[in-house]
Amino acid sequence: MLQTPHTPEKDAAFVSRIRRYDSTEWASPQVTPTSGERLVAARALGLTPSPPRSRNPSPPSQQRQSPALVWAAVALGLLVRHACSLHPYSGERDPPRYGDYEAHRHWMEITHHLPVKQWYAYDTEYWGLDYPPLMAYIERILGALSHAYDPASVSLNTSRGYEESHHRAFMRFTVLIIDALVAVSAFVALACKLEATTKRRSLLIALCVLAPAPILVDHGHFQYNCLPLGLTLWSALFIDDRPYLASLLFTLALHSKQTALYYAPAVFCELLGRNLEAKKIICLGAVVLMTSLLLWLPLIKEGVALQALRRCFPVARGVFEDKVGNAWYAAQVFLRARDRLDQSSLIKVAALLTAVCSFAPCLLRCRRVARGQDRSLANILRSLHVSALAFFLFSYHVHEKGVLVPLYPLLPLSLAERDYAAAFSLLSAFTLLPLLHYEGLALAYGAAVALYVFAWYERRPRRAFAAFACLVPLHFMPLVVPPPARYPDLYPALVALLGAAGFGLAYAAVALHELKPWRRGKLD
């Protein structure tokens, strides 16, 4: 079949249509697409007819791509998570407060034995419940299962520090199941959406599920970050074509852990840019408000909603906790910012910096999305990443484990942004090293990092590996050169400051990338 010959006018019209569909590197006015690229994209947009079907079709074995590699990548990720769970957890055999493992076990018994009215008020000096309502309801379900499995494990007031091996296996299994059902499944869905071939999908899934930091925090240290962060990834998947479902999923994420708020500017701007009609905006708001109302209704009925809200946002704990690789810790080391400013001033400055640094790139994206540009799933994930990174660097009361929030939406972009994604993932794990070493997870850290590096065997991000190699000596220096007596925390402080510098550079890179929409090249 004869094709209509290309002319400069038709090429200009074609480039204009491509730019409206989605901004890409080769669609800029400075780059001329090749004839092959023109033909493939034109067929996708319906500008030229598809080629006739071949008389000798490929055999069925080549037409259908086997999902075995995908399942193998998922199985590998779950196996590594289980292996990490065999290592010590937060606060193991460390009375009187133990750690996050004990906190979640204690919340199970609180929600199982006590009425809703006492959930957020019971013994707040020990491990008071300080998660949003959805996580409290999940803790209640897990508490009922734990009571059926081993009543002594959630025996209120008599089970503090309960560390029996069979119940430890139960606790670890709950994290593994939630991770598999929510976060790992989200990685699989995103990989199938972002990549076209089974080989690339399986490689991307492997890079997502083998990222060291999520494994070490959730399955080593012990937390349930996989729930809110996985729900956010599912929300990102539906933002473009199912905005109401996306709103529902993100609202659930917000009510399972408050750190999902890091994504709020990006989700708000992405949804707004796609739904500017008044009716759609009202419907989206109704979904968020009704979902939130249903989740808070039991607390509102008991008159403890404000008490729960104060527990979820503990401003009295300070601008950061321990040694965090963010701007506030660096400001404390070099400028003594926390000592010079009172708490009220710190909260205002942190709120202003966070709002400006998170909303600025997201609002620019909202404007482009409203014009029909940059609507791809990859750009949604980039927007989530830059918003969360701004929160991690500048917001009030940040933990070192909060680095998982900007990391999660970046992982599905590992093949698209090789050096940047690999460097950010390795740096995230590196900043957790002092915590992991203290909890006896140094061996698990080394194994997880080595396995992640090996997963890049085909497409090595050489610049990322070279940068991480510069940090390797710092892993062993505390063993060779003890810190001076005057500065016992010298090495943890160095780790945090290096992390702050690296994450600051990362934010500058992604923010400039969003602030200059005509430069759509890769971040690496």
Side-chain angles (χ1 to χ4, degrees):
M1 184 178 296
L2 295 177
Q3 302 291 336
T4 304
H6 290 283
T7 64
E9 293 78 11
K10 290 184 178 181
D11 286 348
F14 166 75
V15 170
S16 177
R17 288 193 64 176
I18 288 296
R19 191 182 295 114
R20 287 199 304 269
Y21 173 73
D22 187 16
S23 179
T24 58
E25 187 176 14
W26 61 268
S28 62
Q30 292 81 9
V31 183
T32 303
T34 65
S35 59
E37 290 169 336
R38 267 200 304 264
L39 185 60
V40 170
R43 283 173 180 161
L45 292 176
L47 296 179
T48 62
S50 301
R53 186 173 296 179
S54 172
R55 295 181 180 178
N56 299 311
S58 56
S61 59
Q62 295 180 14
Q63 290 179 356
R64 294 187 60 188
Q65 300 183 26
S66 171
L69 283 175
V70 170
W71 286 112
V74 171
L76 177 61
L78 296 179
L79 180 63
V80 171
R81 280 159 170 72
H82 170 66
C84 184
S85 70
L86 301 177
H87 290 263
Y89 51 79
S90 170
E92 183 174 359
R93 299 185 180 88
D94 187 19
R97 284 179 59 82
Y98 301 94
D100 282 351
Y101 175 94
E102 169 65 10
H104 283 281
R105 188 210 61 77
H106 183 55
W107 295 343
M108 290 180 190
E109 63 186 7
I110 287 176
T111 54
H112 178 69
H113 288 286
L114 298 178
V116 174
K117 189 174 184 177
Q118 299 182 39
W119 284 4
Y120 289 91
Y122 181 80
D123 198 1
T124 56
E125 294 300 319
Y126 182 56
W127 279 113
L129 181 59
D130 57 5
Y131 273 33
L134 179 58
M135 193 64 205
Y137 304 144
I138 293 173
E139 296 282 4
R140 182 173 185 175
I141 295 172
L142 296 178
L145 295 173
S146 182
H147 183 267
Y149 175 64
D150 179 12
S153 65
V154 287
S155 178
L156 193 62
N157 299 323
T158 63
S159 59
R160 292 189 177 182
Y162 193 82
E163 296 182 323
E164 296 297 325
S165 58
H166 63 278
H167 190 255
R168 166 181 168 158
F170 168 81
M171 295 281 284
R172 293 292 201 186
F173 183 69
T174 61
V175 182
L176 186 63
I177 287 296
I178 293 175
D179 198 354
L181 293 178
V182 182
V184 175
S185 64
F187 287 137
V188 174
L190 288 167
C192 293
K193 191 87 169 180
L194 292 168
E195 300 296 339
T197 65
T198 299
K199 184 177 180 180
R200 287 182 63 86
R201 288 172 181 173
S202 58
L203 177 58
L204 179 56
I205 293 169
L207 294 172
C208 291
V209 299
L210 293 179
I215 297 173
L216 293 166
V217 172
D218 280 2
H219 302 272
H221 172 84
F222 194 91
Q223 280 190 344
Y224 292 92
N225 295 289
C226 50
L227 177 60
L229 305 186
L231 285 172
T232 304
L233 293 184
W234 276 109
S235 174
L237 191 65
F238 295 117
I239 279 178
D240 199 42
D241 53 352
R242 299 182 183 178
Y244 304 124
L245 178 58
S247 299
L248 172 64
L249 291 171
F250 183 65
T251 306
L252 295 177
L254 278 175
H255 287 87
S256 57
K257 192 169 184 179
Q258 52 269 49
T259 49
L261 190 65
Y262 289 16
Y263 299 124
V267 174
F268 172 79
C269 292
E270 293 291 337
L271 287 171
L272 181 63
R274 290 166 169 79
N275 305 275
L276 288 174
E277 299 90 342
K279 181 180 178 181
K280 290 185 177 180
I281 294 175
I282 293 172
C283 290
L284 287 172
V287 170
V288 174
L289 291 176
M290 291 303 298
T291 305
S292 302
L293 180 62
L294 288 174
L295 292 171
W296 283 91
L297 191 58
L299 298 172
I300 294 173
K301 285 183 175 180
E302 297 292 339
V304 294
L306 289 177
Q307 181 187 51
L309 196 62
R310 285 193 293 268
R311 289 289 304 161
C312 291
F313 296 97
V315 295
R317 294 185 188 177
V319 68
F320 59 83
E321 193 160 307
D322 209 359
K323 295 172 178 59
V324 185
N326 73 348
W328 284 113
Y329 181 75
Q332 172 64 15
V333 171
F334 295 111
L335 303 175
R336 296 295 171 188
R338 187 172 61 180
D339 300 334
R340 294 180 179 180
L341 296 174
D342 58 81
Q343 185 182 87
S344 176
S345 299
L346 278 174
I347 293 174
K348 293 176 182 177
V349 174
L352 179 62
L353 282 174
T354 305
V356 171
C357 294
S358 61
F359 271 102
C362 293
L363 286 173
L364 288 176
R365 263 199 51 76
C366 180
R367 182 168 176 261
R368 297 200 300 273
V369 168
R371 293 179 172 182
Q373 302 171 348
D374 296 355
R375 289 191 168 214
S376 67
L377 176 58
N379 284 325
I380 295 173
L381 295 172
R382 290 187 181 98
S383 183
L384 291 172
H385 171 68
V386 68
S387 173
L389 186 53
F391 267 79
F392 177 75
L393 285 171
F394 304 112
S395 66
Y396 194 87
H397 189 61
V398 177
H399 296 255
E400 67 271 49
K401 301 179 288 294
V403 74
L404 295 185
V405 188
L407 175 62
Y408 254 75
L410 182 61
L411 292 176
L413 300 175
S414 294
L415 295 182
E417 311 286 358
R418 280 189 301 164
D419 279 288
Y420 179 79
F424 195 96
S425 182
L426 290 170
L427 183 61
S428 300
F430 174 73
T431 58
L432 296 170
L433 182 59
L435 172 69
L436 300 173
H437 182 269
Y438 174 77
E439 295 177 350
L441 292 166
L443 179 61
Y445 166 86
V449 169
L451 191 58
Y452 178 71
V453 170
F454 179 75
W456 285 97
Y457 70 98
E458 269 196 356
R459 299 173 175 269
R460 292 187 182 90
R462 300 185 185 279
R463 282 177 285 180
F465 287 175
F468 185 71
C470 297
L471 301 176
V472 170
L474 194 56
H475 289 69
F476 304 100
M477 283 183 66
L479 303 176
V480 179
V481 183
R486 186 179 177 184
Y487 302 106
D489 295 331
L490 174 64
Y491 291 118
L494 283 176
V495 170
L497 291 174
L498 287 170
F503 295 136
L505 291 173
Y507 175 78
V510 294
L512 288 175
H513 184 264
E514 292 299 331
L515 292 173
K516 296 182 178 180
W518 59 88
R519 294 180 58 188
R520 307 309 300 169
K522 295 182 179 180
L523 296 178
D524 57 2

